[in-house]
Structures are given as C-alpha cells and as structure tokens.
Amino acid sequence: MSKPITLLSKGIFEKSFMDSKVKTRSVSRMEWVLGHLIGPLGLIFVVNTIAALVEKFFTQQTGAMYGTENVAMIQQMGGYYEVIMTAAKLLATLTGLLNGWLMQHTRSRQGRMRPWHLVFGFVSIAIGMLIFQFSGKTLGDNYWYYFFFLLIAYHTVGSSYFYLFRDTIVSISSRSGKEKAHLKFIRQMSWTLISGIIIGMLVNMVVLPMWLEHDLGGYAVLLTILSIVAIPLLLLEYFFTKERVIEDVQAEGNSGNIPLRQQMKALLTNKYFVIFTILMTIAGIVDNFKGGNVQYFYIKYLLGGENDWSMFTIYQVVTGVPLGIGAFAIYPLSKKFGIRNVSLVGYALILVGSILGWMFPSNVTIAFVAGFIRQTGFLPNAYITATLLCYAFDSVEHKSGLRLEGLLGVSIITAVQAAIWAPFAGGYESAILKMGFVDVAGVTPSAEVTGFMATAFYLFDIIMATAYVVLLPFMDVEKKLPQISTELLERRKAATIARGEEWIDPEELERREAEESERIHEENRIADLKEYCRKKGLDFDTENAKYLAKQEAKAKKKAAKAK
C-alpha cells in the first residue's frame, strides 16, 4: 500500500518562528484587530483594485492601441476578451480543484489553510505589480500576449486561493457561533467598509476621473504602491490568525484524507449547505457579468457624470452612507433578530430599490433614492450574511462527523460553480465593445448602449434578490446552532477522554489562559520598571506603589460606572 501524501509536514512551516502569535483558545482582541481587520487589507487592496480596474484599463488600452475610429478592431477585441475571460474562469475551476487537493493532503502545525495563504498571497502581490506594466503601444500587438497571460494568472493562481481563504478562515477559527459571527462581521468591515471607502469611493471619485482616465501609465504606478503596502499586511494576517478547529481535528487524529464520496454525501445531503451554495452560485453569475465598472459607466453616461465629475462623488456619498453608518448597526440587529431574518429584509430592500431604479434609470433624484435603498439592503450581505455558511459547515460536521472546509469535496462544488460562472465573465465589457463602444474621451454611447448599461446595473440584482427572498426562509440553521454546538462539544470531550487525556471545559481553559497571560504581563511589567528605575536612579518600591495606586483608582472608577 502506498504511503498517504502529506504536505507541509516538514520544512519551513514546521519551524517555531512560523507559528501563529495567537495562543488563546478564545478569539482575543489582538487577533481580531490585527489578523481579521487590518491584516486582510493587504491582499484586499491588490485583488479588489485589479478587479475594479482591469476592465476599465482594457477598454482604455484598446482605444490607445487602435484608436476610437477603428470600430471593427474594437469589436474584435471585445470578442477576444470574452473568450479569454471564459477560458480564465474555466482554468480557475482547475485551480480550485488543486486548492482542494492541497488542503486535503496538508497536515501542518500551522493548520490547513494559513501556510498556503502566505504562499499564494505573495503570488497575488507579484501579479499586482506586473499586470498593468508596459501599457500604451510599448510592445505593439505582442502586448496582448503579456496582458492576457497575467489576466488569466490573476483569475487562477492570483485570486482563487484568496477567495477560498476569505470565505473559510472564520469557520475554522473558532467553534463558538458568537465568535464566528463577530469575526465574519470584522472581516466584512475590512472588506466592505475600510477597503470599500479606500478603493470604491476614492477610486471612483478621485483616482479614475482625475488621474487614470487621462494617464494609462497610472494604473501600473497605483498597483505597484498597493502591492508594496500589501507585503507587511499579509504577514500580519498570517501571524495573527489561528485555525483552532483544524488543530482540534488534527489532535483527534483526523487528517484531511477523507474519501471523496463521503465528503460529497455529507455536503449534498445537508440542506443548509445546498441552499447557500445555490444562492452563492446566482450571486456569482451576477458578479461575473457585471464586473467592476457597471456603476462607473452608469453614473458617467446615464446620470451626467461625463459632463459633471462631481456626480461620482455625490452618488458615492449618498448611496455610501448606509454602508458606513449601518456597519455599526447591523451586528447588534443580527444578534437581536437573527442573521437570516436581517438578511431577508435586506434582500427585499435590494429588490425594491432595483425595480425603482430600473423604471427610471436616468432620473437623478430617483437614482439616488434607489441607490440609497439598495445599499441599505446590501448591509447584511456586506457584513454578516456569509456567517450562515460557517453555520452550515457546523451542521455538516454535526450530521456527518466530518470537517470539510477547503477539502476536495468543497473544491469540486466550487469548480462546478466556476464553470457555471465562466460564460458570464466579462460579459458586460465584451457586450459594450461588441456594440462598437469604447470608453475614450469624446466618444458618446448610443441609446442602445446606455439602455444596456441601465439593464446591467439593475436587472441582474433584481434576479439575485428574488432568489434570496425565496430561499432564505428555509435557512433556519441558527435555531439549531445551540444544540449543534453542545453536541459537538460533547463529542470532543468523549474523544479526549477516550485518548486518556484530561478534558478541560473551554470556559475553564480560557480562565487559566487569562490568568497565565496576566501573570506573564505582571512579571514583564515589574522587570521593565526595575530596569527603568535603575537607569533613572529611582526607588522601585516607590514607583511601583504609584503604579498600583493608579490601577486601583481606575478599577474603582470602572466599578462605579458599572453600578
């Protein structure tokens, strides 16, 4: 019998200096701030900015290469782009299967996902530095070989693992449903609020209209800067995240080498996983077709942004208010009313806002109202809805005993999704190019093109919102989560005792960890203070008494406020 393949069981990731800096069983403030809020911004800046700009760059590059009068060539490039994007998405399905294979055969002291996130993260950063280089007519027609190669690389090795890690890390960071919801909210704040403001509003309001619209070489400068910034942030994300669930699974002797048939049965017989997979598939079709420039073109050509660049700022501010203010309301609302229920209301608002906007697409006032309603509806989706998938994996484990995040079964399902999305990828840009339109200064779109822009902006969201409104009522996993969590904990306890090891309740373990952390902190404080007193010629007992008096005063003040 051949020996099972195990990846990363030796080498650099087995060295102690690659260990996570997070040592606690519960999610600490340092972990969620550095590992889940700030750290993810590195790759978000690179991957999201490429996604937001690559199609706009392509239309500008096409105009720079062939001129605005060469309609036949513009249409031909639209056809090429459609084929390349479809091929990229199909190849991404193979990358997804590779990712699943890697996860299934990885057994490392660092967990199952974090090591590969670091490896593929640096690949993404390299692609970010290169993808917009040599624009204009620098390389002639040979330029397209360079650009399309990196475009395919971005959609395969450059972003596929990024999305896998983003969608999975919360689920394996903690077994607590409360902590999962909090971490998902924190990561979505990083994704939506912080990067949305920096990338979305700043790019659309300032960078595109004031810089990149007039400077094709600016794309390369911008991505080079963001790629350099991403390096320390990626390291921060790696060192301040922790795969507690995978560590538990590996400690119990369960590797990732689970027969594929068992994986598929466990996933496809779980109604919560199936429902959310259907919803994500529909949302993926919409995202792939719309790309990153639908809103930009809508504001520019239907709301007058072409003649009044302030319209980009006004629209972003008016419709962006809910994402900013609502970020601090959606988490408490979801705790009170439930993630499923808050999400259901949100998608109903998206449906209403999209119908209203589509009825009057060029009416600025109605477009603002519709945009405000839509963005309010997107709040749950932006910050908390995806937590339901984490709960679905808990349900899968509860029923089958298998922890399957990132393994081959999930990757096959994701590959099927990617194959479904592939024909829709780049659909918006290829469609307007086939209509003979290229986004170059002085070129005005026809009524046919502007009609298509409005349809693309609203109709696809109507379809997606309808699907969520219909299917979310069946996603009642939250009601069963307390029972699921209790039974999973009992199984862990039984497995620990069966191995002849001492079982310590998570609450007691957390208390012990807090006491140990406080003891170490106090020892370090005393050592630092003694060194300080030695250098300054001060009396240690006197200075220590001052410190303890201050701490006691703070404690009394805090206790008084609590009454």
Side-chain angles (χ1 to χ4, degrees):
M1 177 179 282
S2 60
K3 187 178 180 180
I5 299 173
T6 55
L7 303 175
L8 304 186
S9 59
K10 299 179 181 179
I12 188 172
F13 288 107
E14 287 299 292
K15 305 297 183 182
S16 60
F17 66 83
M18 296 301 294
D19 287 352
S20 171
K21 305 303 180 184
V22 177
K23 305 301 180 184
T24 58
R25 286 297 303 174
S26 61
V27 177
S28 65
R29 180 184 295 271
M30 180 177 64
E31 181 180 354
W32 67 254
V33 171
L34 299 181
H36 294 277
L37 180 66
I38 298 174
L41 289 172
L43 287 186
I44 288 174
F45 285 159
V46 174
V47 174
N48 275 11
T49 304
I50 293 175
L53 296 179
V54 69
E55 289 153 348
K56 180 71 171 65
F57 172 82
F58 175 72
T59 58
Q60 281 184 246
Q61 175 67 8
T62 300
M65 289 279 287
Y66 305 112
T68 59
E69 303 301 321
N70 194 344
V71 176
M73 196 64 206
I74 291 170
Q75 291 173 330
Q76 184 176 341
M77 291 305 299
Y80 287 158
Y81 189 77
E82 185 175 26
V83 171
I84 292 295
M85 285 300 296
T86 300
K89 292 297 181 179
L90 289 174
L91 288 172
T93 65
L94 300 179
T95 309
L97 293 175
L98 172 63
N99 292 337
W101 185 88
L102 292 175
M103 296 303 98
Q104 184 139 332
H105 293 89
T106 296
R107 188 174 179 86
S108 165
R109 65 185 283 169
Q110 310 306 338
R112 185 186 287 168
M113 302 198 74
R114 290 171 51 255
W116 294 112
H117 183 58
L118 191 63
V119 172
F120 283 108
F122 279 110
V123 173
S124 300
I125 290 170
I127 292 172
M129 288 184 174
L130 295 172
I131 191 167
F132 293 134
Q133 299 289 342
F134 311 115
S135 57
K137 299 181 180 180
T138 309
L139 304 177
D141 284 338
N142 288 328
Y143 169 80
W144 294 118
Y145 292 104
Y146 172 84
F147 175 73
F148 286 144
F149 171 79
L150 286 171
L151 182 63
I152 291 172
Y154 163 75
H155 283 287
T156 52
V157 295
S159 63
S160 62
Y161 194 85
F162 165 80
Y163 288 113
L164 173 64
F165 185 84
R166 181 202 68 173
D167 295 338
T168 307
I169 185 59
V170 168
S171 184
I172 60 177
S173 292
S174 172
R175 287 192 176 275
S176 165
K178 181 180 178 181
E179 288 184 344
K180 287 180 196 289
H182 183 244
L183 284 183
K184 178 58 73 173
F185 172 71
I186 291 299
R187 289 192 77 91
Q188 289 303 111
M189 276 193 68
S190 180
W191 176 272
T192 303
L193 185 61
I194 301 176
S195 73
I197 291 173
I198 295 175
I199 295 176
M201 296 186 71
L202 186 61
V203 166
N204 285 314
M205 290 164 50
V206 180
V207 175
L208 261 176
M210 297 183 182
W211 179 20
L212 302 183
E213 184 79 20
H214 314 287
D215 179 13
L216 198 57
Y219 287 88
V221 175
L222 176 63
L223 259 296
T224 299
I225 294 171
L226 291 179
S227 297
I228 292 171
V229 170
I231 294 173
L233 292 176
L234 172 62
L235 293 171
L236 203 64
E237 183 178 19
Y238 170 81
F239 282 111
F240 287 93
T241 49
K242 186 177 180 67
E243 299 180 33
R244 294 176 180 83
V245 175
I246 302 305
E247 289 175 2
D248 290 342
V249 169
Q250 291 184 163
E252 292 164 8
N254 298 322
S255 68
N257 291 314
I258 302 166
L260 181 59
R261 185 175 180 181
Q262 280 184 251
Q263 294 184 44
M264 299 302 290
K265 181 180 179 181
L267 293 168
L268 298 179
T269 57
N270 186 280
K271 78 169 186 176
Y272 303 122
F273 180 81
V274 171
I275 290 172
F276 213 80
T277 297
I278 292 171
L279 293 175
M280 288 192 298
T281 302
I282 295 171
I285 291 173
V286 174
D287 288 343
N288 275 272
F289 183 85
K290 290 174 67 173
N293 293 310
V294 174
Q295 178 173 293
Y296 175 82
F297 283 120
Y298 174 73
I299 297 171
K300 183 175 181 179
Y301 295 114
L302 279 94
L303 300 184
E306 185 178 20
N307 300 314
D308 181 8
W309 287 107
S310 67
M311 184 60 66
F312 289 94
T313 302
I314 297 170
Y315 187 88
Q316 290 284 352
V317 171
V318 170
T319 62
V321 166
L323 283 179
I325 298 175
F328 303 99
I330 200 67
Y331 183 60
L333 285 173
S334 66
K335 288 202 295 184
K336 183 174 182 179
F337 299 106
I339 296 171
R340 189 270 309 265
N341 294 335
V342 171
S343 300
L344 189 59
V345 172
Y347 280 103
L349 289 175
I350 295 171
L351 184 59
V352 171
S354 298
I355 292 173
L356 178 63
W358 197 29
M359 290 172 63
F360 306 97
S362 57
N363 185 302
V364 174
T365 302
I366 294 178
F368 284 171
V369 172
F372 185 88
I373 294 172
R374 277 157 53 90
Q375 289 299 84
T376 302
F378 271 114
L379 274 171
N381 173 274
Y383 294 112
I384 205 74
T385 302
T387 309
L388 293 173
L389 179 60
C390 300
Y391 295 165
F393 278 116
D394 288 340
S395 176
V396 169
E397 183 184 11
H398 179 248
K399 290 185 176 181
S400 68
L402 305 176
R403 200 73 204 188
L404 300 176
E405 288 98 324
L407 296 190
L408 191 55
V410 178
S411 296
I412 289 175
I413 292 171
T414 304
V416 172
Q417 287 179 307
I420 294 172
W421 298 334
F424 298 92
Y428 177 78
E429 281 71 21
S430 63
I432 60 175
L433 287 169
K434 286 180 178 179
M435 292 177 184
F437 173 74
V438 62
D439 185 39
V440 174
V443 177
T444 302
S446 65
E448 179 190 18
V449 173
T450 55
F452 174 75
M453 289 177 176
T455 298
F457 189 57
Y458 287 116
L459 179 59
F460 287 90
D461 286 340
I462 291 174
I463 296 170
M464 179 185 67
T466 300
Y468 273 87
V469 168
V470 170
L471 292 178
L472 272 180
F474 300 98
M475 196 76 183
D476 59 345
V477 65
E478 284 172 285
K479 293 181 180 179
K480 301 177 181 179
L481 196 62
Q483 178 186 352
I484 290 173
S485 299
T486 300
E487 293 187 13
L488 288 176
L489 183 63
E490 288 299 319
R491 291 180 194 175
R492 286 175 55 207
K493 179 178 180 179
T496 301
I497 294 173
R499 294 195 304 270
E501 299 174 3
E502 179 190 8
W503 168 256
I504 305 173
D505 286 328
E507 293 81 4
E508 172 62 18
L509 187 60
E510 185 176 348
R511 185 191 66 78
R512 293 184 187 182
E513 289 172 346
E515 287 182 353
E516 178 65 10
S517 177
E518 180 61 28
R519 183 188 66 78
I520 294 172
H521 171 76
E522 183 65 9
E523 287 180 354
N524 291 336
R525 183 192 70 80
I526 290 173
D528 290 341
L529 183 58
K530 284 182 176 179
E531 179 64 17
Y532 175 80
C533 290
R534 185 187 66 78
K535 288 182 178 179
K536 298 294 183 179
L538 301 173
D539 179 65
F540 168 76
D541 291 331
T542 302
E543 298 302 316
N544 191 45
K546 290 179 182 179
Y547 172 83
L548 294 175
K550 287 181 181 179
Q551 293 302 109
E552 184 178 357
K554 288 181 181 179
K556 288 180 179 179
K557 187 176 180 179
K558 185 177 181 180
K561 285 183 177 180
K563 290 182 179 179

